[in-house]
Amino acid sequence: GDSVTQMEGPVTLSEEAFLTINCTYTATGYPSLFWYVQYPGEGLQLLLKATKADDKGSNKGFEATYRKETTSFHLEKGSVQVSDSAVYFCALSQNTGNQFYFGTGTSLTVIP
Amino acid sequence: SQTIHQWPATLVQPVGSPLSLECTVEGTSNPNLYWYRQAAGRGLQLLFYSVGIGQISSEVPQNLSASRPQDRQFILSSKKLLLSDSGFYLCAWSVTFIYNEQFFGPGTRLTVL
């Protein structure tokens, strides 16, 4: 069945460091891919998405490219800030279904 | 614009007591609705989803049940809470068959003592 595998955390970075959080997926066909962010005590917010191969989603300095050849959707940011500290979830959905498949989440802490 | 509400925001309940969590969506019609649970430091577990009034699909056998009495209302219930029911409960909605992007509510923190 469909699934998402995310890089294990927690991740701790210094402010202005480069961030990569790896995400790979297993799915039939052409799913849509998403990154969500969860700040402490809050629900999940959509960070970015890509709906077809080679699409790049971007938002708030974060980017991820839908790579069908490597079945990956890695999240990157060139210079992280303390305010980026949160848990990040990779997810996929099939356009013909009603379900999401989430990764286990990666906790990021950015220290000044 | 669409908004999603959950209440209560926090809840502390004794073992064996009943539970009712409510989720409502505004600004859209006939959404898909979802209940997730997030245990401390863990990922998301899909509990239930609904594609319409009275239509509930359960993902895992458990102590909980869900109902959808109105188009934009989704309720999570239990007759007798267990310690293992503690967690962060998230409601979400999506538009049917359009990339299934999900929008989440603010969540309910449930502690069972």
Side-chain angles (χ1 to χ4, degrees), chain A residues 32 34 36 38 41-44 46 49 51 89 93-100 102 104, chain B residues 32 34 36 38 42-44 46 49 51 59 88 90 96-97 99-102 104-106:
Chain A
S32 296
F34 306 84
Y36 281 82
Q38 184 180 32
E42 299 183 8
L44 275 68
L46 179 66
K49 66 181 180 183
T51 57
F89 290 91
S93 74
Q94 293 285 9
N95 296 339
T96 56
N98 291 306
Q99 293 195 39
F100 253 49
F102 283 92
T104 53
Chain B
N32 291 337
Y34 308 82
Y36 291 89
Q38 187 177 28
R42 305 289 295 275
L44 294 168
L46 178 63
Y49 72 93
V51 300
E59 286 299 297
F88 192 48
L90 290 161
T96 307
F97 299 136
Y99 304 122
N100 288 333
E101 176 178 329
Q102 292 192 351
F104 284 80

Side-chain angles (χ1 to χ4, degrees), chain A residues 31-103:
Chain A
S32 296
L33 301 173
F34 306 84
W35 277 101
Y36 281 82
V37 59
Q38 184 180 32
Y39 298 103
E42 299 183 8
L44 275 68
Q45 302 174 27
L46 179 66
L47 181 59
L48 54 83
K49 66 181 180 183
T51 57
K52 61 183 186 295
D54 299 326
D55 266 3
K56 177 185 283 188
S58 61
N59 186 26
K60 298 181 182 179
F62 291 89
E63 294 183 339
T65 301
Y66 187 162
R67 302 284 189 200
K68 189 159 179 65
E69 64 276 12
T70 54
T71 61
S72 65
F73 193 54
H74 305 322
L75 182 69
E76 296 181 337
K77 186 174 185 181
S79 176
V80 293
Q81 304 301 312
V82 172
S83 57
D84 293 327
S85 298
V87 179
Y88 292 82
F89 290 91
C90 185
L92 74 82
S93 74
Q94 293 285 9
N95 296 339
T96 56
N98 291 306
Q99 293 195 39
F100 253 49
Y101 299 90
F102 283 92

